[in-house]
Amino acid sequence: MSTTKRQFFAGTAALFIGLLLTAPAPARADDDPSAVLKQIQSSGELRAPVMIGEEPGYIKDPKTGEWSGFYVDFLKEIADDLGVKLQPVETTWGNLAADFQSNKIDVAIGVNPNPKRGLVVDYLWEPLFTDAWAVATPPGKPVKTWAELNDPSKRIVVQKGSTMQVVAEQLLPKAKITTVEDRNLALLELRSNRADAVILAVFDALQVSKQGIGELSVPEPMLRNPATLAVARKPGNEGFINFLTNWILQERSLGIAQGRLARSFEAHGFDLSILPPNFSF
Protein backbone atom coordinates (compact mmCIF):
# COMPACT_ATOMS: atom_id res chain seq x y z
CA MET A 1 0.00 0.00 0.00
CA SER A 2 1.30 3.40 -0.93
CA THR A 3 2.18 6.01 1.63
CA THR A 4 -0.65 8.22 0.36
CA LYS A 5 -3.24 5.45 0.84
CA ARG A 6 -1.93 4.64 4.31
CA GLN A 7 -2.19 8.30 5.27
CA PHE A 8 -5.75 8.45 3.86
CA PHE A 9 -6.96 5.41 5.82
CA ALA A 10 -5.21 6.57 8.99
CA GLY A 11 -6.85 9.98 8.71
CA THR A 12 -10.26 8.43 8.06
CA ALA A 13 -9.94 6.13 11.08
CA ALA A 14 -8.88 9.00 13.28
CA LEU A 15 -11.86 11.04 12.11
CA PHE A 16 -14.25 8.14 12.77
CA ILE A 17 -12.84 7.62 16.27
CA GLY A 18 -13.11 11.34 16.95
CA LEU A 19 -16.76 11.35 15.92
CA LEU A 20 -17.45 8.43 18.24
CA LEU A 21 -15.80 10.20 21.13
CA THR A 22 -17.66 13.47 20.58
CA ALA A 23 -21.06 11.96 19.79
CA PRO A 24 -23.70 12.73 22.45
CA ALA A 25 -24.43 9.93 24.88
CA PRO A 26 -27.86 8.28 24.70
CA ALA A 27 -30.45 10.26 26.66
CA ARG A 28 -31.24 8.97 30.13
CA ALA A 29 -34.55 9.29 31.95
CA ASP A 30 -32.90 11.71 34.36
CA ASP A 31 -32.10 14.02 31.44
CA ASP A 32 -35.79 14.54 30.65
CA PRO A 33 -36.73 17.95 32.15
CA SER A 34 -40.35 16.80 32.36
CA ALA A 35 -39.64 13.47 34.07
CA VAL A 36 -41.17 14.52 37.42
CA LEU A 37 -44.18 16.10 35.72
CA LYS A 38 -44.79 12.92 33.72
CA GLN A 39 -44.44 10.76 36.82
CA ILE A 40 -47.07 12.80 38.68
CA GLN A 41 -49.48 12.64 35.75
CA SER A 42 -48.95 8.91 35.25
CA SER A 43 -49.57 8.24 38.95
CA GLY A 44 -52.88 10.11 38.79
CA GLU A 45 -52.29 12.02 42.02
CA LEU A 46 -50.53 15.09 43.37
CA ARG A 47 -49.19 14.46 46.88
CA ALA A 48 -49.05 17.55 49.08
CA PRO A 49 -48.57 18.12 52.83
CA VAL A 50 -51.46 19.27 55.01
CA MET A 51 -51.21 20.39 58.63
CA ILE A 52 -53.39 19.89 61.69
CA GLY A 53 -54.19 23.09 63.57
CA GLU A 54 -53.34 25.41 60.65
CA GLU A 55 -56.77 26.90 59.96
CA PRO A 56 -57.97 28.52 57.74
CA GLY A 57 -55.27 27.38 55.29
CA TYR A 58 -55.72 23.72 56.21
CA ILE A 59 -58.98 22.53 57.77
CA LYS A 60 -59.69 18.87 58.55
CA ASP A 61 -63.27 17.72 59.07
CA PRO A 62 -63.13 15.57 62.23
CA LYS A 63 -66.14 13.52 61.06
CA THR A 64 -65.13 12.75 57.48
CA GLY A 65 -61.38 13.32 57.52
CA GLU A 66 -61.77 15.53 54.45
CA TRP A 67 -59.49 18.53 54.02
CA SER A 68 -60.46 22.06 52.99
CA GLY A 69 -59.10 25.57 53.44
CA PHE A 70 -57.57 28.12 51.09
CA TYR A 71 -54.27 26.25 50.71
CA VAL A 72 -56.18 23.08 49.87
CA ASP A 73 -58.24 25.01 47.31
CA PHE A 74 -55.03 26.21 45.65
CA LEU A 75 -53.64 22.67 45.61
CA LYS A 76 -56.85 21.26 44.11
CA GLU A 77 -56.60 23.84 41.33
CA ILE A 78 -53.02 22.75 40.58
CA ALA A 79 -54.09 19.10 40.56
CA ASP A 80 -57.00 19.87 38.21
CA ASP A 81 -54.67 21.67 35.80
CA LEU A 82 -52.44 18.58 35.80
CA GLY A 83 -55.40 16.27 35.28
CA VAL A 84 -54.83 14.39 38.56
CA LYS A 85 -56.40 14.16 42.02
CA LEU A 86 -55.03 15.82 45.15
CA GLN A 87 -53.68 13.39 47.73
CA PRO A 88 -53.26 15.13 51.14
CA VAL A 89 -50.35 13.88 53.25
CA GLU A 90 -50.69 14.81 56.94
CA THR A 91 -47.40 16.06 58.40
CA THR A 92 -45.77 19.03 60.17
CA TRP A 93 -43.67 21.96 58.96
CA GLY A 94 -40.63 20.49 60.68
CA ASN A 95 -40.91 17.25 58.70
CA LEU A 96 -41.15 18.81 55.24
CA ALA A 97 -37.52 18.29 54.24
CA ALA A 98 -37.62 14.64 55.34
CA ASP A 99 -40.93 14.14 53.51
CA PHE A 100 -39.41 15.46 50.29
CA GLN A 101 -36.28 13.36 50.69
CA SER A 102 -38.28 10.17 51.33
CA ASN A 103 -40.48 10.90 48.28
CA LYS A 104 -43.70 11.21 50.29
CA ILE A 105 -44.76 14.53 48.74
CA ASP A 106 -44.52 16.26 45.36
CA VAL A 107 -45.12 19.90 46.26
CA ALA A 108 -45.65 22.06 49.35
CA ILE A 109 -47.60 25.31 49.33
CA GLY A 110 -47.48 28.36 51.60
CA VAL A 111 -43.87 27.71 52.59
CA ASN A 112 -41.28 30.35 53.41
CA PRO A 113 -37.67 30.09 52.21
CA ASN A 114 -35.70 28.26 54.87
CA PRO A 115 -31.91 27.90 54.55
CA LYS A 116 -31.76 24.41 56.06
CA ARG A 117 -34.61 23.07 53.94
CA GLY A 118 -33.04 24.88 51.00
CA LEU A 119 -30.26 22.28 51.01
CA VAL A 120 -32.67 19.64 49.68
CA VAL A 121 -35.67 21.66 48.49
CA ASP A 122 -36.12 24.04 45.55
CA TYR A 123 -38.25 27.09 46.32
CA LEU A 124 -40.02 28.88 43.48
CA TRP A 125 -38.74 32.43 43.20
CA GLU A 126 -42.20 33.98 42.70
CA PRO A 127 -44.39 34.08 45.86
CA LEU A 128 -48.07 33.19 45.72
CA PHE A 129 -48.73 36.03 48.17
CA THR A 130 -46.84 38.08 50.74
CA ASP A 131 -47.31 37.45 54.44
CA ALA A 132 -45.66 39.06 57.47
CA TRP A 133 -44.42 37.76 60.79
CA ALA A 134 -46.59 38.56 63.78
CA VAL A 135 -46.81 37.50 67.41
CA ALA A 136 -49.66 36.38 69.60
CA THR A 137 -49.20 37.73 73.11
CA PRO A 138 -51.29 37.45 76.28
CA PRO A 139 -54.37 39.71 76.17
CA GLY A 140 -53.55 43.28 77.10
CA LYS A 141 -49.82 42.82 76.44
CA PRO A 142 -49.20 43.83 72.82
CA VAL A 143 -45.70 44.65 71.60
CA LYS A 144 -44.62 47.41 69.22
CA THR A 145 -41.11 46.22 68.37
CA TRP A 146 -39.15 42.99 68.20
CA ALA A 147 -36.63 44.52 70.58
CA GLU A 148 -39.23 44.35 73.38
CA LEU A 149 -39.10 40.55 73.17
CA ASN A 150 -35.33 40.24 72.99
CA ASP A 151 -34.88 39.89 76.72
CA PRO A 152 -33.80 36.95 78.94
CA SER A 153 -37.04 37.25 80.88
CA LYS A 154 -39.16 36.66 77.76
CA ARG A 155 -40.38 33.20 76.77
CA ILE A 156 -40.89 32.79 73.02
CA VAL A 157 -42.64 29.72 71.57
CA VAL A 158 -42.21 28.56 67.97
CA GLN A 159 -42.91 25.47 65.92
CA LYS A 160 -39.91 23.16 65.67
CA GLY A 161 -38.10 23.21 62.34
CA SER A 162 -40.23 26.10 61.04
CA THR A 163 -39.24 29.45 59.62
CA MET A 164 -40.66 30.94 62.83
CA GLN A 165 -37.82 29.24 64.68
CA VAL A 166 -35.29 30.90 62.36
CA VAL A 167 -36.90 34.30 63.00
CA ALA A 168 -36.76 33.80 66.78
CA GLU A 169 -33.16 32.61 66.79
CA GLN A 170 -31.98 35.52 64.65
CA LEU A 171 -34.01 38.38 66.15
CA LEU A 172 -34.43 37.25 69.75
CA PRO A 173 -31.18 35.56 70.76
CA LYS A 174 -31.42 36.84 74.34
CA ALA A 175 -34.91 35.43 74.91
CA LYS A 176 -35.72 31.91 76.05
CA ILE A 177 -36.92 30.07 72.93
CA THR A 178 -39.11 26.99 73.30
CA THR A 179 -39.87 24.74 70.31
CA VAL A 180 -43.02 22.62 70.00
CA GLU A 181 -44.33 20.34 67.28
CA ASP A 182 -47.36 22.30 66.09
CA ARG A 183 -49.44 25.46 66.50
CA ASN A 184 -51.92 23.93 68.93
CA LEU A 185 -49.11 23.08 71.37
CA ALA A 186 -47.70 26.59 70.97
CA LEU A 187 -51.06 28.13 71.82
CA LEU A 188 -51.40 25.79 74.78
CA GLU A 189 -48.20 27.35 76.13
CA LEU A 190 -49.76 30.79 75.68
CA ARG A 191 -53.02 29.78 77.36
CA SER A 192 -51.12 28.27 80.27
CA ASN A 193 -49.13 31.49 80.85
CA ARG A 194 -45.91 29.74 79.86
CA ALA A 195 -45.26 32.05 76.90
CA ASP A 196 -44.85 35.78 76.46
CA ALA A 197 -45.23 35.45 72.69
CA VAL A 198 -45.89 32.90 69.98
CA ILE A 199 -44.46 33.77 66.57
CA LEU A 200 -46.94 33.19 63.75
CA ALA A 201 -47.63 34.27 60.19
CA VAL A 202 -49.93 37.28 60.35
CA PHE A 203 -52.93 35.43 58.87
CA ASP A 204 -52.51 32.64 61.41
CA ALA A 205 -52.28 35.26 64.14
CA LEU A 206 -55.60 36.69 62.92
CA GLN A 207 -57.16 33.27 63.47
CA VAL A 208 -55.74 33.09 66.97
CA SER A 209 -56.92 36.62 67.79
CA LYS A 210 -60.43 35.79 66.54
CA GLN A 211 -60.53 32.81 68.90
CA GLY A 212 -59.68 35.10 71.80
CA ILE A 213 -56.54 33.14 72.69
CA GLY A 214 -54.09 36.00 72.39
CA GLU A 215 -53.60 39.52 71.14
CA LEU A 216 -52.24 40.17 67.66
CA SER A 217 -49.16 42.34 67.21
CA VAL A 218 -47.11 42.98 64.07
CA PRO A 219 -43.83 44.21 65.54
CA GLU A 220 -41.60 46.76 63.87
CA PRO A 221 -39.61 46.54 61.77
CA MET A 222 -42.25 44.65 59.81
CA LEU A 223 -40.81 41.40 58.47
CA ARG A 224 -42.49 40.45 55.23
CA ASN A 225 -42.22 36.82 54.23
CA PRO A 226 -43.05 35.33 50.84
CA ALA A 227 -45.49 32.43 50.83
CA THR A 228 -44.38 30.31 47.93
CA LEU A 229 -44.23 26.72 46.67
CA ALA A 230 -41.46 24.16 47.03
CA VAL A 231 -40.52 20.93 45.28
CA ALA A 232 -37.87 18.31 45.94
CA ARG A 233 -34.49 18.99 44.38
CA LYS A 234 -33.97 16.10 41.99
CA PRO A 235 -33.26 15.46 38.30
CA GLY A 236 -36.14 16.00 35.91
CA ASN A 237 -38.15 18.57 37.89
CA GLU A 238 -37.44 21.55 35.61
CA GLY A 239 -40.71 21.09 33.75
CA PHE A 240 -42.68 20.84 37.00
CA ILE A 241 -41.04 24.02 38.32
CA ASN A 242 -41.84 25.80 35.05
CA PHE A 243 -45.50 24.72 35.25
CA LEU A 244 -45.83 25.86 38.87
CA THR A 245 -44.10 29.18 38.20
CA ASN A 246 -46.50 29.96 35.38
CA TRP A 247 -49.44 28.93 37.57
CA ILE A 248 -48.30 31.36 40.30
CA LEU A 249 -47.79 34.21 37.82
CA GLN A 250 -51.34 33.72 36.53
CA GLU A 251 -52.78 33.59 40.05
CA ARG A 252 -51.10 36.85 41.02
CA SER A 253 -51.37 38.83 37.78
CA LEU A 254 -55.10 38.17 37.45
CA GLY A 255 -55.85 38.78 41.14
CA ILE A 256 -57.03 35.17 41.62
CA ALA A 257 -54.82 34.53 44.65
CA GLN A 258 -55.61 37.83 46.35
CA GLY A 259 -59.35 37.42 45.74
CA ARG A 260 -59.42 33.87 47.07
CA LEU A 261 -57.56 34.87 50.22
CA ALA A 262 -59.81 37.86 50.88
CA ARG A 263 -62.96 35.74 50.46
CA SER A 264 -61.59 33.05 52.76
CA PHE A 265 -60.71 35.54 55.49
CA GLU A 266 -64.10 37.24 55.25
CA ALA A 267 -65.89 33.89 55.37
CA HIS A 268 -64.08 33.07 58.62
CA GLY A 269 -64.93 36.42 60.16
CA PHE A 270 -61.42 37.87 60.17
CA ASP A 271 -61.19 41.57 60.87
CA LEU A 272 -58.56 42.65 58.34
CA SER A 273 -58.86 46.26 59.50
CA ILE A 274 -56.65 45.51 62.50
CA LEU A 275 -53.71 44.84 60.20
CA PRO A 276 -51.14 47.65 59.81
CA PRO A 277 -52.08 50.09 57.04
CA ASN A 278 -48.75 49.52 55.29
CA PHE A 279 -49.36 45.76 54.96
CA SER A 280 -50.75 44.16 51.81
CA PHE A 281 -50.74 40.62 50.51
Side-chain angles (χ1 to χ4, degrees), residues 246-260:
N246 280 277
W247 177 81
I248 288 178
L249 289 172
Q250 176 179 267
E251 292 289 307
R252 287 191 60 80
S253 64
L254 299 182
I256 300 172
Q258 299 91 323
R260 174 170 290 161

Side-chain angles (χ1 to χ4, degrees), residues 168-187:
E169 291 171 347
Q170 295 302 315
L171 275 184
L172 312 173
K174 296 179 181 178
K176 180 180 179 181
I177 300 172
T178 301
T179 61
V180 295
E181 287 298 326
D182 56 45
R183 191 203 301 176
N184 286 336
L185 290 175
L187 297 180

Side-chain angles (χ1 to χ4, degrees), residues 104-180:
K104 291 182 178 180
I105 55 178
D106 301 307
V107 61
I109 193 169
V111 292
N112 313 118
N114 179 307
K116 291 182 180 178
R117 281 203 302 261
L119 296 173
V120 296
V121 171
D122 282 326
Y123 292 93
L124 274 68
W125 60 268
E126 180 71 21
L128 182 58
F129 61 90
T130 301
D131 206 335
W133 291 118
V135 293
T137 59
K141 296 182 179 181
V143 294
K144 293 183 179 181
T145 68
W146 290 102
E148 294 176 48
L149 297 172
N150 191 27
D151 186 281
S153 66
K154 299 297 184 182
R155 298 160 296 175
I156 312 301
V157 178
V158 295
Q159 294 177 52
K160 184 179 179 180
S162 67
T163 313
M164 290 84 87
Q165 183 176 349
V166 177
V167 172
E169 291 171 347
Q170 295 302 315
L171 275 184
L172 312 173
K174 296 179 181 178
K176 180 180 179 181
I177 300 172
T178 301
T179 61
V180 295

